Amino acid sequence: MRFAIYLPTYAWPDLDFEQAGRMRDFARKAEALRFDALWVCEHFLVAPGLYGAVWMSPLLCLSHAAAVTSRIRLATGVLVLPYHHPVTLAREIQSLHHLSGGRVVLGVASGWDAREYESLGVPLAERGPRTDEILAATRRLLTERDVTFEGRYYRFRGLTMEPLLPRMPEVWVGGGGKVRTALSPDKTYLDPAVLRRIAGADGWLARAAGTQAMVKADIETVRAHLAGQGRDPASLRYGHINFVHLVDARDRAAALAAQRPRFERVMGTHRSFDYLQESYLMGTTAEIVDRIGDLERAGIEYLVLAPLDYDLEQLDRIAEEIVPRFPVR
């Protein structure tokens, strides 16, 4: 198991310069503690009942983190591709690649928030095919000269985005089963279109909104799909992202009481607290370690842990209380 960290880029209503500035300290400390990567979220509107928070611009935040670090990888986790145009996106990725010394990891997905799509004038029903076109076009723009692309949604002729990258950044595709809710149009299972995207990627990032059983079932679904496509299932990296806040309590009830306000600030309160416990890493540290161990045995080899605020102490606690329990073999 390798561990990475979600860079807290929360755009709280009361966010001030001092709080936002902690992102620099957070990035430096994560690098010093030898986490594999900093990942960033993309949601620019509050989704009532699903998230009680929004996040700052992912690529801008990674650029900010790149300026204060030198080794840790910088990952979009995940970039909602239909929110972007492939030509401008390719330039932004190319710029971040060079500014960071080639540390970019491109995590992508098609998104699900109807209100965000509506605000951008993009039909939600087009999210899947747009995602595929943008990914295909961006791959070519980053690595080829004189690119002509004739898609259904995006068309351009003879473009060269100098300087070209020596290779496409590592691509991870996000997706997976989730607990059913009327608040989201997402399916509760891995969609075939998402499976096709995963089959062409370097890694897969299982989502946090499912249960433990759903993540484990998705692992088997992905493996079976790869095998059916003639790809060795072991050639894919199996990752998972989840939110966490470690507390001192050794009793589950006391731990949950301490964690509840922090989780509800990020997740909102329309979903029940029992629902939140099904999906996210909650309870005592021992319980969280057991749950991670269960995922590791099922095949998860890369875990992105997302603190619920800008608390630097959480980084130390994760590094001291979680990571040593899972030595890299």
Side-chain angles (χ1 to χ4, degrees):
M1 180 81 74
R2 288 192 176 274
F3 289 86
I5 287 290
Y6 235 27
L7 185 64
T9 61
Y10 299 109
W12 304 121
D14 60 353
L15 183 70
D16 57 27
F17 295 153
E18 186 276 332
Q19 191 176 40
R22 289 184 214 160
M23 193 190 306
R24 295 189 294 271
D25 299 329
F26 203 96
R28 291 188 187 104
K29 180 177 275 287
E31 180 171 78
L33 292 171
R34 307 194 68 82
F35 286 100
D36 176 74
L38 293 167
W39 291 71
V40 291
C41 184
E42 180 164 46
H43 276 298
F44 59 88
L45 296 177
V46 172
L50 292 165
Y51 286 115
V54 291
W55 287 261
M56 289 186 275
S57 169
L59 291 171
L60 283 175
C61 288
L62 286 182
S63 209
H64 189 63
V68 298
T69 59
S70 59
R71 300 184 307 276
I72 194 166
R73 299 198 299 163
L74 307 165
T76 59
V78 292
L79 206 65
V80 183
L81 286 187
Y83 295 174
H84 304 268
H85 190 285
V87 175
T88 53
L89 178 61
R91 174 57 74 197
E92 290 174 353
I93 295 170
Q94 180 270 342
S95 300
L96 182 58
H97 171 86
H98 283 82
L99 291 171
S100 68
R103 292 185 277 149
V104 178
V105 177
L106 187 60
V108 302
S110 59
W112 52 266
D113 191 333
R115 188 159 167 261
E116 286 185 335
Y117 270 95
E118 181 182 3
S119 72
L120 295 171
V122 178
L124 183 66
E126 296 176 357
R127 59 181 173 154
R130 281 182 181 268
T131 296
D132 293 331
E133 280 194 19
I134 294 167
L135 187 54
T138 303
R139 283 183 184 275
R140 295 192 58 201
L141 286 166
L142 288 172
T143 59
E144 300 177 21
R145 290 185 172 85
D146 195 26
V147 176
T148 294
F149 190 86
E150 296 287 346
R152 178 179 176 186
Y153 305 104
Y154 307 98
R155 300 178 183 85
F156 47 84
R157 300 188 62 80
L159 297 189
T160 300
M161 306 291 285
E162 297 282 10
L164 297 182
L165 274 58
R167 67 189 66 82
M168 181 69 180
E170 194 173 297
V171 174
W172 288 62
V173 170
K178 62 172 294 182
V179 178
R180 183 180 301 279
T181 172
L183 298 166
S184 169
D186 264 5
K187 298 177 176 66
T188 58
Y189 55 87
L190 260 173
D191 187 273
V194 178
L195 281 170
R196 289 194 297 271
R197 265 174 235 130
I198 293 169
D202 301 291
W204 162 57
L205 201 62
R207 66 193 306 172
T211 65
Q212 187 91 347
M214 285 177 173
V215 174
K216 293 194 289 184
D218 285 345
I219 294 169
E220 295 307 312
T221 299
V222 170
R223 284 174 171 159
H225 180 77
L226 293 182
Q229 297 298 307
R231 178 176 174 179
D232 180 2
S235 67
L236 183 78
R237 296 197 68 187
Y238 294 80
H240 177 50
I241 180 168
N242 214 315
F243 291 82
V244 67
H245 183 80
L246 300 180
V247 296
D248 290 328
R250 299 191 179 189
D251 170 78
R252 179 171 178 81
L256 292 174
Q259 292 161 341
R260 183 168 187 164
R262 295 180 181 270
F263 272 92
E264 289 185 343
R265 187 184 190 199
V266 172
M267 303 301 169
T269 57
H270 284 70
R271 292 180 288 173
S272 73
F273 192 55
D274 287 339
Y275 182 122
L276 299 184
Q277 292 174 59
E278 286 189 78
S279 297
Y280 306 115
L281 295 175
M282 301 175 69
T284 66
T285 300
E287 289 173 325
I288 291 169
V289 167
D290 286 345
R291 187 164 170 179
I292 294 171
D294 183 48
L295 290 173
E296 183 183 46
R297 291 187 293 274
I300 293 296
E301 56 189 331
Y302 191 91
L303 187 63
V304 184
L305 292 175
L308 297 169
D309 53 31
Y310 292 86
D311 183 359
L312 290 169
E313 181 188 357
Q314 285 293 307
L315 269 180
D316 286 319
R317 296 193 67 152
I318 291 168
E320 294 168 5
E321 300 173 29
I322 301 291
V323 175
R325 303 294 297 272
F326 302 92
V328 178
R329 298 180 178 86

mmCIF file of all heavy atoms in Angstrom, residues 4 45 67 92 108 128 130 151 153 155 157-158 167 169 184 187 216 229-230 235 244-245 300 309 322 329:
data_model
loop_
_atom_site.group_PDB
_atom_site.id
_atom_site.type_symbol
_atom_site.label_atom_id
_atom_site.label_comp_id
_atom_site.label_asym_id
_atom_site.label_seq_id
_atom_site.Cartn_x
_atom_site.Cartn_y
_atom_site.Cartn_z
ATOM 1 N N ALA A 4 -1.147 8.568 -0.392
ATOM 2 C CA ALA A 4 -1.107 9.942 -0.873
ATOM 3 C C ALA A 4 -2.092 10.764 -0.044
ATOM 4 O O ALA A 4 -2.868 10.217 0.738
ATOM 5 C CB ALA A 4 -1.454 9.997 -2.358
ATOM 6 N N LEU A 45 -19.422 24.280 -7.192
ATOM 7 C CA LEU A 45 -20.689 24.654 -6.586
ATOM 8 C C LEU A 45 -21.030 23.651 -5.493
ATOM 9 O O LEU A 45 -20.719 22.463 -5.611
ATOM 10 C CB LEU A 45 -21.818 24.660 -7.628
ATOM 11 C CG LEU A 45 -21.721 25.675 -8.769
ATOM 12 C CD1 LEU A 45 -22.897 25.479 -9.730
ATOM 13 C CD2 LEU A 45 -21.692 27.100 -8.246
ATOM 14 N N ALA A 67 5.161 25.184 -6.558
ATOM 15 C CA ALA A 67 6.143 26.235 -6.293
ATOM 16 C C ALA A 67 6.826 26.082 -4.941
ATOM 17 O O ALA A 67 7.902 26.663 -4.728
ATOM 18 C CB ALA A 67 5.467 27.606 -6.377
ATOM 19 N N GLU A 92 -2.747 24.019 -20.051
ATOM 20 C CA GLU A 92 -2.601 24.100 -18.601
ATOM 21 C C GLU A 92 -1.807 22.913 -18.060
ATOM 22 O O GLU A 92 -0.959 23.068 -17.187
ATOM 23 C CB GLU A 92 -3.980 24.175 -17.951
ATOM 24 C CG GLU A 92 -4.682 25.504 -18.203
ATOM 25 C CD GLU A 92 -6.096 25.530 -17.675
ATOM 26 O OE1 GLU A 92 -6.597 24.473 -17.234
ATOM 27 O OE2 GLU A 92 -6.710 26.602 -17.703
ATOM 28 N N VAL A 108 -8.934 11.701 -13.867
ATOM 29 C CA VAL A 108 -10.071 12.260 -14.607
ATOM 30 C C VAL A 108 -11.343 11.478 -14.324
ATOM 31 O O VAL A 108 -11.312 10.311 -13.929
ATOM 32 C CB VAL A 108 -9.797 12.252 -16.133
ATOM 33 C CG1 VAL A 108 -8.540 13.047 -16.467
ATOM 34 C CG2 VAL A 108 -9.677 10.825 -16.668
ATOM 35 N N GLY A 128 -20.439 11.632 -20.721
ATOM 36 C CA GLY A 128 -19.609 10.483 -21.061
ATOM 37 C C GLY A 128 -18.865 10.650 -22.368
ATOM 38 O O GLY A 128 -17.620 10.575 -22.412
ATOM 39 N N ARG A 130 -18.316 13.324 -24.098
ATOM 40 C CA ARG A 130 -17.398 14.469 -24.029
ATOM 41 C C ARG A 130 -16.107 14.092 -23.293
ATOM 42 O O ARG A 130 -15.005 14.488 -23.693
ATOM 43 C CB ARG A 130 -18.073 15.653 -23.340
ATOM 44 C CG ARG A 130 -19.041 16.439 -24.222
ATOM 45 C CD ARG A 130 -19.613 17.627 -23.471
ATOM 46 N NE ARG A 130 -20.552 18.383 -24.273
ATOM 47 C CZ ARG A 130 -20.228 19.428 -25.043
ATOM 48 N NH1 ARG A 130 -18.964 19.825 -25.088
ATOM 49 N NH2 ARG A 130 -21.144 20.062 -25.737
ATOM 50 N N GLY A 151 -14.066 15.538 -33.736
ATOM 51 C CA GLY A 151 -14.993 14.837 -32.877
ATOM 52 C C GLY A 151 -16.406 15.368 -33.020
ATOM 53 O O GLY A 151 -16.680 16.277 -33.814
ATOM 54 N N TYR A 153 -18.011 16.851 -30.514
ATOM 55 C CA TYR A 153 -18.127 18.064 -29.710
ATOM 56 C C TYR A 153 -16.945 19.015 -29.880
ATOM 57 O O TYR A 153 -17.090 20.218 -29.660
ATOM 58 C CB TYR A 153 -18.253 17.698 -28.228
ATOM 59 C CG TYR A 153 -19.392 16.747 -27.946
ATOM 60 C CD1 TYR A 153 -19.162 15.401 -27.696
ATOM 61 C CD2 TYR A 153 -20.705 17.206 -27.948
ATOM 62 C CE1 TYR A 153 -20.216 14.532 -27.445
ATOM 63 C CE2 TYR A 153 -21.767 16.346 -27.701
ATOM 64 C CZ TYR A 153 -21.512 15.007 -27.453
ATOM 65 O OH TYR A 153 -22.553 14.143 -27.217
ATOM 66 N N ARG A 155 -13.538 20.155 -32.330
ATOM 67 C CA ARG A 155 -12.896 20.069 -33.636
ATOM 68 C C ARG A 155 -11.824 21.150 -33.726
ATOM 69 O O ARG A 155 -12.059 22.295 -33.354
ATOM 70 C CB ARG A 155 -13.922 20.271 -34.761
ATOM 71 C CG ARG A 155 -15.052 19.260 -34.779
ATOM 72 C CD ARG A 155 -16.040 19.570 -35.902
ATOM 73 N NE ARG A 155 -17.176 18.652 -35.892
ATOM 74 C CZ ARG A 155 -18.263 18.809 -35.144
ATOM 75 N NH1 ARG A 155 -18.363 19.864 -34.346
ATOM 76 N NH2 ARG A 155 -19.243 17.936 -35.184
ATOM 77 N N ARG A 157 -7.868 21.975 -36.146
ATOM 78 C CA ARG A 157 -6.990 21.523 -37.228
ATOM 79 C C ARG A 157 -5.587 22.086 -37.042
ATOM 80 O O ARG A 157 -5.404 23.260 -36.715
ATOM 81 C CB ARG A 157 -7.531 21.956 -38.587
ATOM 82 C CG ARG A 157 -8.915 21.412 -38.914
ATOM 83 C CD ARG A 157 -9.308 21.719 -40.367
ATOM 84 N NE ARG A 157 -8.400 21.085 -41.304
ATOM 85 C CZ ARG A 157 -8.465 19.797 -41.662
ATOM 86 N NH1 ARG A 157 -9.404 19.009 -41.144
ATOM 87 N NH2 ARG A 157 -7.608 19.292 -42.516
ATOM 88 N N GLY A 158 -4.604 21.203 -37.264
ATOM 89 C CA GLY A 158 -3.209 21.600 -37.370
ATOM 90 C C GLY A 158 -2.618 22.282 -36.155
ATOM 91 O O GLY A 158 -1.790 23.195 -36.284
ATOM 92 N N ARG A 167 6.097 12.239 -22.935
ATOM 93 C CA ARG A 167 5.075 11.192 -22.856
ATOM 94 C C ARG A 167 3.853 11.765 -22.154
ATOM 95 O O ARG A 167 3.939 12.777 -21.468
ATOM 96 C CB ARG A 167 5.588 9.959 -22.102
ATOM 97 C CG ARG A 167 5.853 10.197 -20.641
ATOM 98 C CD ARG A 167 6.554 9.027 -19.991
ATOM 99 N NE ARG A 167 7.879 8.863 -20.531
ATOM 100 C CZ ARG A 167 8.949 9.555 -20.130
ATOM 101 N NH1 ARG A 167 8.818 10.481 -19.189
ATOM 102 N NH2 ARG A 167 10.124 9.341 -20.658
ATOM 103 N N PRO A 169 1.254 12.262 -19.322
ATOM 104 C CA PRO A 169 1.296 12.003 -17.876
ATOM 105 C C PRO A 169 0.497 10.756 -17.518
ATOM 106 O O PRO A 169 -0.408 10.352 -18.251
ATOM 107 C CB PRO A 169 0.635 13.251 -17.282
ATOM 108 C CG PRO A 169 0.811 14.310 -18.312
ATOM 109 C CD PRO A 169 0.757 13.606 -19.631
ATOM 110 N N SER A 184 -28.403 12.338 -6.426
ATOM 111 C CA SER A 184 -27.404 12.244 -7.484
ATOM 112 C C SER A 184 -27.923 11.377 -8.625
ATOM 113 O O SER A 184 -28.556 10.345 -8.396
ATOM 114 C CB SER A 184 -26.114 11.633 -6.928
ATOM 115 O OG SER A 184 -25.225 11.298 -7.977
ATOM 116 N N LYS A 187 -25.197 6.265 -11.266
ATOM 117 C CA LYS A 187 -25.577 4.878 -11.040
ATOM 118 C C LYS A 187 -24.904 4.361 -9.772
ATOM 119 O O LYS A 187 -23.881 4.892 -9.324
ATOM 120 C CB LYS A 187 -25.186 4.025 -12.245
ATOM 121 C CG LYS A 187 -25.873 4.431 -13.543
ATOM 122 C CD LYS A 187 -25.382 3.576 -14.700
ATOM 123 C CE LYS A 187 -26.135 3.913 -15.992
ATOM 124 N NZ LYS A 187 -25.833 5.289 -16.455
ATOM 125 N N LYS A 216 -14.873 -3.343 -2.873
ATOM 126 C CA LYS A 216 -14.301 -4.674 -3.112
ATOM 127 C C LYS A 216 -14.956 -5.353 -4.314
ATOM 128 O O LYS A 216 -14.277 -6.023 -5.111
ATOM 129 C CB LYS A 216 -14.428 -5.536 -1.855
ATOM 130 C CG LYS A 216 -13.563 -5.017 -0.703
ATOM 131 C CD LYS A 216 -13.409 -6.025 0.423
ATOM 132 C CE LYS A 216 -14.672 -6.212 1.195
ATOM 133 N NZ LYS A 216 -14.474 -7.118 2.347
ATOM 134 N N GLN A 229 -10.797 -7.955 -21.874
ATOM 135 C CA GLN A 229 -10.273 -7.123 -22.951
ATOM 136 C C GLN A 229 -8.856 -7.530 -23.365
ATOM 137 O O GLN A 229 -8.256 -6.893 -24.222
ATOM 138 C CB GLN A 229 -10.267 -5.657 -22.515
ATOM 139 C CG GLN A 229 -11.654 -5.088 -22.233
ATOM 140 C CD GLN A 229 -12.535 -5.109 -23.459
ATOM 141 O OE1 GLN A 229 -12.158 -4.613 -24.520
ATOM 142 N NE2 GLN A 229 -13.710 -5.712 -23.333
ATOM 143 N N GLY A 230 -8.332 -8.571 -22.734
ATOM 144 C CA GLY A 230 -6.992 -9.042 -23.078
ATOM 145 C C GLY A 230 -5.878 -8.281 -22.377
ATOM 146 O O GLY A 230 -4.708 -8.406 -22.758
ATOM 147 N N SER A 235 -1.595 -5.170 -14.476
ATOM 148 C CA SER A 235 -0.920 -4.026 -15.080
ATOM 149 C C SER A 235 -1.567 -2.694 -14.710
ATOM 150 O O SER A 235 -1.033 -1.636 -15.024
ATOM 151 C CB SER A 235 -0.913 -4.177 -16.606
ATOM 152 O OG SER A 235 -2.235 -4.073 -17.138
ATOM 153 N N VAL A 244 -11.014 11.248 5.995
ATOM 154 C CA VAL A 244 -10.642 10.735 7.305
ATOM 155 C C VAL A 244 -10.362 11.897 8.248
ATOM 156 O O VAL A 244 -9.904 12.964 7.832
ATOM 157 C CB VAL A 244 -9.398 9.817 7.184
ATOM 158 C CG1 VAL A 244 -8.164 10.608 6.781
ATOM 159 C CG2 VAL A 244 -9.148 9.039 8.461
ATOM 160 N N HIS A 245 -10.656 11.669 9.528
ATOM 161 C CA HIS A 245 -10.239 12.598 10.589
ATOM 162 C C HIS A 245 -9.944 11.753 11.819
ATOM 163 O O HIS A 245 -10.844 11.167 12.431
ATOM 164 C CB HIS A 245 -11.331 13.624 10.895
ATOM 165 C CG HIS A 245 -10.898 14.622 11.929
ATOM 166 N ND1 HIS A 245 -10.088 15.700 11.621
ATOM 167 C CD2 HIS A 245 -11.139 14.689 13.268
ATOM 168 C CE1 HIS A 245 -9.870 16.396 12.726
ATOM 169 N NE2 HIS A 245 -10.483 15.805 13.734
ATOM 170 N N ILE A 300 -6.597 -3.205 -3.151
ATOM 171 C CA ILE A 300 -6.263 -1.783 -3.217
ATOM 172 C C ILE A 300 -4.801 -1.609 -2.812
ATOM 173 O O ILE A 300 -4.378 -2.054 -1.747
ATOM 174 C CB ILE A 300 -7.175 -0.951 -2.301
ATOM 175 C CG1 ILE A 300 -8.613 -0.968 -2.829
ATOM 176 C CG2 ILE A 300 -6.663 0.482 -2.187
ATOM 177 C CD1 ILE A 300 -8.807 -0.315 -4.185
ATOM 178 N N ASP A 309 -10.004 19.361 6.816
ATOM 179 C CA ASP A 309 -9.730 20.787 6.940
ATOM 180 C C ASP A 309 -8.237 20.997 6.760
ATOM 181 O O ASP A 309 -7.531 20.112 6.295
ATOM 182 C CB ASP A 309 -10.230 21.343 8.277
ATOM 183 C CG ASP A 309 -9.702 20.563 9.472
ATOM 184 O OD1 ASP A 309 -8.578 20.031 9.382
ATOM 185 O OD2 ASP A 309 -10.402 20.486 10.495
ATOM 186 N N ILE A 322 -1.200 5.591 10.781
ATOM 187 C CA ILE A 322 -1.776 4.785 9.693
ATOM 188 C C ILE A 322 -0.677 4.180 8.804
ATOM 189 O O ILE A 322 -0.594 2.957 8.653
ATOM 190 C CB ILE A 322 -2.722 5.635 8.812
ATOM 191 C CG1 ILE A 322 -3.857 6.215 9.652
ATOM 192 C CG2 ILE A 322 -3.258 4.796 7.651
ATOM 193 C CD1 ILE A 322 -4.843 5.209 10.169
ATOM 194 N N ARG A 329 5.907 -3.451 0.397
ATOM 195 C CA ARG A 329 6.626 -4.713 0.205
ATOM 196 C C ARG A 329 7.524 -4.637 -1.012
ATOM 197 O O ARG A 329 7.173 -4.027 -1.990
ATOM 198 C CB ARG A 329 5.635 -5.873 0.068
ATOM 199 C CG ARG A 329 4.784 -6.074 1.321
ATOM 200 C CD ARG A 329 3.812 -7.238 1.121
ATOM 201 N NE ARG A 329 3.031 -7.473 2.315
ATOM 202 C CZ ARG A 329 1.896 -6.843 2.607
ATOM 203 N NH1 ARG A 329 1.423 -5.934 1.767
ATOM 204 N NH2 ARG A 329 1.224 -7.107 3.698
#
